[in-house]
């Protein structure tokens, strides 16, 4: 095989053993890499009902066939496991040297199983695997852990760590690297913590197998040049995703006061232009010339890397209008290894619950110091923080009242930074995303604003599926960043050319879409297998707030979603995906995608139709 190393590294922490094994080439061709590999491995190897925080869960670090080559935005990997937050398949991607180094060490994925008796660091240095005592690192935050390891292994080593949140099994703990790049929203950091795995260090010195090296090198150089010529490039370099704050405000989709509103009075104070004034440098993922991490000094003069999601969620959504303070909360979250999106979501929920008298604790909108202290309590699971550490779904079930109507999640995963009172296609995208509410699979909201936000059309259903294929399927399996394409208009044809030069295979976009459908359907099967008879179409519906409580401010005042029309869109979505009226893949669809084995297993849990 070219492109792929053809080898997975399987690590058993209970036995302190690691074995490298070749995998079937069919897996590469059918699932590509990244999310595709993770979904296939977790489907094959986890029994339904596995406790996500038990040694039986598996933690997968998976890259794609282009990872590690000098190609735009190709330095990413996917981290995946059964999620303790949602109870089903969960993953996230991270831009990290660990991706490049893992591939150069000769592995397309690392699968971690079991549990170490004491804290360890897994060191993967080409064929040499070591388990290092990490008792001295346990209790340190993610930045301290990384800098300790970097002192030993140098600046180019790949280092992935957890902070105290992962150690304390916070259900939305993530995995952090390079002081602010993070991934694994659905609690993949907690899975790592449950295995007593404090960090993974990867170092590789090998060459990646490539079919046409000269062609790939030439293509890479052309592609980097092409990115520089794209008209939005110059402004992107100034603001990156931070420009979205102003855009969201203009379009009434900026999450504000726990998604009650889509506009924030002080949006300007936390927007892209405000950020430009305090920016001190820019960081990015390996092999990327778009470097979108805007580094600012926070209110304690520490560096903090901002992007739209963390500013929207830790700014307007909790009523905080001071950017350096938002940056300080963001820095705290990164240090503890807390997902900033879920964090902003649970904080907004707690503030609303306090305002409504549903909890005894006083948690007020926009209060910086108290919020900073509450973040620490979440990371250490103290007091109210202990309940919030379980995620917003659990918190709502716990405090009762009608709070589940405004607990902003889908399938247990907190919604990201877009209010959808007046964005039905984006609401559908959130509701049908493969890991719970996340924008990465189908960020259709910008397109939706252009085509008419009030419509519930079939075209919108098609767009959600199209984007889920490209973004949630192909980019996540390639583990390449979607931003060159979606933000700058870097053409999709580049990727099939890259694949041809790297693998020697003629893979068309039609083929890639089939792979995307395969992995999307497999992940859906994973959800259905987990929930069995408890699986319901209500799991594909966004929070009640968007249907029941209209916006009270801004140009979209009075807007809310229409449940009957939403349901029609959802039915069309199922039909187009080849899933039945319950949202369960049919036998025919599974067969068509080469997932006959999946059908056999699924049949034991639910009735399958043709
Ligand atoms: S655009 Fe941003 S997120 Fe994407 S690879 Fe570059 S630095 Fe990373």
């Amino acid at each position: 095989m070219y492109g792929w190393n053809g080898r997975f590294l399987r690590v058993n922490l209970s036995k302190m053993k690691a074995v490298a094994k070749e995998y079937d080439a069919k897996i590469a061709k059918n699932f590509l890499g990244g999310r595709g590999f993770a979904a296939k491995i977790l489907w094959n190897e986890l029994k339904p009902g596995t406790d996500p925080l038990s040694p039986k869960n598996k933690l997968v670090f998976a890259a794609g066939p282009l990872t590690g080559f000098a190609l735009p935005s190709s330095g990413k990997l996917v981290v995946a496991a059964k999620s303790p937050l949602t109870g089903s398949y969960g993953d996230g991607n991270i831009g990290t040297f660990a991706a490049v180094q893992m591939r150069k060490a000769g592995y397309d994925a690392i699968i971690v199983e079991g549990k170490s008796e004491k804290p360890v660091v897994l060191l993967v240095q080409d064929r040499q695997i070591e388990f290092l005592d990490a008792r001295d690192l346990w209790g340190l935050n993610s930045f301290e852990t990384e800098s300790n390891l970097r002192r030993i292994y140098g600046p180019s080593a790949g280092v992935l760590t957890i902070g105290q949140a992962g150690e304390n099994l916070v259900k939305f703990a993530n995995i952090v690297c390079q002081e602010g790049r993070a991934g694994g929203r659905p609690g993949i950091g907690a899975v790592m913590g449950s295995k007593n795995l404090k960090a993974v260090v990867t170092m590789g010195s090998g060459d990646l197998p490539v079919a046409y090296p000269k062609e790939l090198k030439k293509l890479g150089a052309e592609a980097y040049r092409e990115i520089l010529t794209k008209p939005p490039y110059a402004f992107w370099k100034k603001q990156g995703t931070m420009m979205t704050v102003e855009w969201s405000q203009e379009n009434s989709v900026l999450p504000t006061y726990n998604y009650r509103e889509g506009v924030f009075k002080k949006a300007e104070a936390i927007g892209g232009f405000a950020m430009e004034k305090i920016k001190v440098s820019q960081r990015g993922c390996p092999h990327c010339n778009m470097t979108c991490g805007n580094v600012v000094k926070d209110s304690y003069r520490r560096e903090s890397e901002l992007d739209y999601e963390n500013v929207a969620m830790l700014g307007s959504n909790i009523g905080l209008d001071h950017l350096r303070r938002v940056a300080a909360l963001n820095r705290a979250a990164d240090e503890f290894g807390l997902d900033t999106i879920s964090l902003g979501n649970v904080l907004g929920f707690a503030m609303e619950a306090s305002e409504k008298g549903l909890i005894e604790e006083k948690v007020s909108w926009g209060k910086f110091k108290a919020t900073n202290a509450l973040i620490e309590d979440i990371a250490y699971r103290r007091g109210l923080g202990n309940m919030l550490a379980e995620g917003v779904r659990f918190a709502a079930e716990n405090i009762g009242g009608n709070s589940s109507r405004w607990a902003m999640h889908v399938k247990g995963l907190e919604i990201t930074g877009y209010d959808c009172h007046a964005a039905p296609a984006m609401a559908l995208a959130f509701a049908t995303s493969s890991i719970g509410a996340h924008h990465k699979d189908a960020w259709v909201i910008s397109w939706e604003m252009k085509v008419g936000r009030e419509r519930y059309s079939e075209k919108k259903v098609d767009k959600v599926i199209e984007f889920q294929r490209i973004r949630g399927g192909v980019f996540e399996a390639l583990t390449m960043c979607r931003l060159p394409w979606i933000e700058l208009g870097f053409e999709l044809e580049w990727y099939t050319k890259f694949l041809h030069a790297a693998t020697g295979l003629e893979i068309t976009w039609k083929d890639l879409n089939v792979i995307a459908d395969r992995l999307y359907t497999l992940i859906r099967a994973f959800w259905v297998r987990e929930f069995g008879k408890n699986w319901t179409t209500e799991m594909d519906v966004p929070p009640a707030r968007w249907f029941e409580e209209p916006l009270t401010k801004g140009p979209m005042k009075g807007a809310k979603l229409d449940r009957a029309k939403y349901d029609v869109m959802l039915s069309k979505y199922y039909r187009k995906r080849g899933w039945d009226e319950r949202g369960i893949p049919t036998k025919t669809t599974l067969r068509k995608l080469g997932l006959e084995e999946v059908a056999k297993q699924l049949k034991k849990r639910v009735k399958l139709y043709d």
Side-chain angles (χ1 to χ4, degrees):
M1 273 200 298
Y2 292 111
W4 295 274
N5 283 305
R7 201 176 302 114
F8 292 155
L9 179 69
R10 188 174 291 275
V11 176
N12 188 310
L13 290 176
S14 302
K15 297 181 182 158
M16 293 289 174
K17 277 200 173 142
V19 184
K21 238 183 163 179
E22 292 190 356
Y23 60 84
D24 191 337
K26 272 196 223 143
I27 293 182
K29 287 180 193 143
N30 290 339
F31 292 93
L32 216 53
R35 173 178 265 183
F37 283 171
K40 174 76 176 150
I41 291 164
L42 295 175
W43 171 269
N44 282 358
E45 300 187 15
L46 291 187
K47 285 202 181 114
T50 299
D51 176 354
L53 296 176
S54 74
K56 291 199 170 127
N57 199 2
K58 307 215 175 181
L59 174 61
V60 181
F61 301 87
L66 300 176
T67 311
F69 290 116
L71 298 171
S73 312
S74 64
K76 292 199 164 204
L77 55 70
V78 159
V79 292
K82 180 172 174 186
S83 159
L85 186 63
T86 68
S88 185
Y89 176 85
D91 71 16
N93 71 53
I94 315 181
T96 169
F97 285 110
V100 179
Q101 297 287 6
M102 177 183 84
R103 287 263 294 156
K104 289 191 171 166
Y107 312 106
D108 295 328
I110 299 173
I111 305 157
V112 182
E113 47 197 38
K115 177 184 179 176
S116 167
E117 267 177 28
K118 55 182 187 332
V120 281
V121 170
L122 172 66
L123 173 65
V124 177
Q125 199 166 6
D126 293 322
R127 299 301 162 93
Q128 195 185 326
I129 315 299
E130 286 180 58
F131 301 91
L132 311 172
D133 191 331
R135 278 176 292 187
D136 288 351
L137 297 175
W138 203 254
L140 297 186
N141 72 39
S142 68
F143 287 41
E144 293 162 341
T145 307
E146 178 164 348
S147 83
N148 271 297
L149 291 166
R150 282 213 181 282
R151 269 200 290 278
I152 305 168
Y153 300 107
S156 60
V159 182
L160 296 166
T161 77
I162 53 166
Q164 298 93 331
E167 294 175 10
N168 296 325
L169 312 181
V170 174
K171 299 271 174 76
F172 48 90
N174 59 13
I175 298 174
V176 185
C177 69
Q178 290 159 229
E179 303 195 335
R181 317 211 78 72
R185 294 192 57 216
I188 311 304
V191 174
M192 195 158 150
S194 74
K195 297 186 176 302
N196 275 332
L197 180 59
K198 181 67 179 171
V200 177
V201 178
T202 57
M203 298 165 80
S205 59
D207 291 326
L208 294 170
V210 52
Y212 304 113
K214 277 191 196 149
E215 190 186 324
L216 191 68
K217 201 171 163 201
K218 189 164 159 270
L219 270 173
E222 282 170 10
Y224 281 116
R225 274 200 302 274
E226 175 72 16
I227 283 177
L228 300 181
T229 68
K230 297 292 181 197
Y233 183 79
F235 193 60
W236 173 266
K237 281 291 273 187
K238 283 187 186 169
Q239 294 201 359
T241 60
M242 280 295 293
M243 65 173 95
T244 316
V245 176
E246 278 89 351
W247 179 87
S248 291
Q249 172 80 352
E250 273 162 32
N251 288 286
S252 290
V253 297
L254 185 67
T256 303
Y257 299 115
N258 193 29
Y259 299 83
R260 273 186 199 154
E261 306 294 347
V263 288
F264 182 50
K265 215 169 152 194
K266 300 278 187 64
E268 220 177 284
I270 58 166
F273 292 102
M275 181 278 300
E276 273 195 65
K277 288 188 194 139
I278 61 169
K279 180 169 160 178
V280 292
S281 65
Q282 210 153 358
R283 284 201 288 256
C285 309
H287 293 311
C288 178
N289 64 345
M290 287 170 63
T291 50
C292 69
N294 294 297
V295 181
V296 302
K297 283 277 165 77
D298 72 8
S299 49
Y300 299 117
R301 308 300 298 158
R302 303 168 303 184
E303 290 193 345
S304 176
E305 190 178 320
L306 296 180
D307 66 27
Y308 169 70
E309 291 292 335
N310 47 48
V311 171
M313 298 309 297
L314 296 170
S316 53
N317 198 51
I318 61 166
L320 184 59
D321 59 9
H322 188 296
L323 194 55
R324 286 195 199 274
R325 290 180 184 159
V326 172
L329 301 186
N330 178 60
R331 165 90 187 203
D334 284 342
E335 285 186 350
F336 288 130
L338 287 164
D339 173 60
T340 51
I341 297 172
S342 288
L343 178 64
N345 193 312
V346 297
L347 289 171
F349 174 85
M351 288 167 187
E352 183 162 353
S354 172
E355 186 183 67
K356 290 183 164 149
L358 286 166
I359 53 174
E360 282 171 13
E361 295 82 353
K362 186 94 192 107
V363 193
S364 304
W365 300 107
K367 293 279 181 267
F368 168 65
K369 280 197 178 146
T371 308
N372 205 20
L374 182 54
I375 291 174
E376 189 175 312
D377 286 346
I378 292 172
Y380 286 101
R381 286 183 166 275
R382 296 188 292 235
L384 172 64
N386 188 36
M387 178 179 78
L388 299 177
E390 293 290 306
V392 81
R393 177 171 62 182
F394 175 87
E397 282 163 6
N398 206 259
I399 67 171
N402 70 344
S403 64
S404 60
R405 318 296 292 170
W406 39 269
M408 302 306 286
H409 71 92
V410 174
K411 301 183 183 75
L413 184 65
E414 289 77 15
I415 284 180
T416 67
Y418 300 94
D419 183 85
C420 292
H421 276 90
M426 192 64 220
L428 180 70
F430 273 138
T432 57
S433 154
S434 52
I435 57 169
H438 197 52
H439 61 280
K440 77 175 170 186
D441 284 14
W443 187 74
V444 294
I445 196 161
S446 156
W447 170 87
E448 183 169 34
M449 294 302 120
K450 290 178 208 143
V451 298
R453 59 195 302 171
E454 68 288 347
R455 291 196 205 114
Y456 290 72
S457 61
E458 189 158 339
K459 216 165 125 192
K460 289 195 173 181
V461 178
D462 289 336
K463 189 54 94 179
V464 169
I465 294 176
E466 179 194 329
F467 271 38
Q468 285 176 341
R469 282 182 178 138
I470 298 170
R471 294 170 60 114
V474 181
F475 281 121
E476 289 300 312
L478 288 176
T479 64
M480 289 186 78
C481 182
R482 62 205 175 254
L483 295 175
W485 164 67
I486 194 76
E487 295 292 346
L488 304 188
F490 181 67
E491 296 78 4
L492 289 176
E493 290 68 40
W494 284 97
Y495 296 91
T496 42
K497 287 187 206 160
F498 296 155
L499 274 169
H500 176 258
T503 67
L505 302 172
E506 295 287 351
I507 305 175
T508 64
W509 265 94
K510 204 172 158 206
D511 302 327
L512 289 175
N513 283 335
V514 173
I515 293 171
D517 282 351
R518 182 175 298 122
L519 73 90
Y520 230 77
T521 297
L522 180 61
I523 295 174
R524 172 53 61 126
F526 195 104
W527 281 89
V528 175
R529 184 175 71 172
E530 281 300 331
F531 285 84
K533 292 196 171 63
N534 294 325
W535 172 262
T536 144
T537 56
E538 285 303 307
M539 293 179 80
D540 288 334
V541 177
R545 163 156 282 168
W546 286 341
F547 295 104
E548 295 171 353
E549 296 176 36
L551 292 171
T552 69
K553 292 187 176 65
M556 296 307 294
K557 188 175 166 181
K560 64 181 168 86
L561 292 178
D562 183 308
R563 180 63 199 257
K565 289 181 185 167
Y566 175 84
D567 286 347
V568 173
M569 271 175 70
L570 183 61
S571 302
K572 284 187 181 148
Y573 174 90
Y574 289 159
R575 218 171 37 245
K576 283 168 188 279
R577 279 236 169 256
W579 301 351
D580 66 21
E581 69 281 1
R582 302 164 299 167
I584 297 176
T586 63
K587 270 192 263 179
T588 312
T589 301
L590 290 165
R591 213 177 299 125
K592 211 169 77 191
L593 294 170
L595 298 172
E596 290 85 355
E597 280 306 309
V598 173
K600 270 188 213 157
Q601 274 204 53
L602 214 49
K603 238 166 43 186
K604 292 180 198 154
R605 306 282 290 164
V606 287
K607 192 167 168 48
L608 279 190
Y609 301 110
D610 262 314

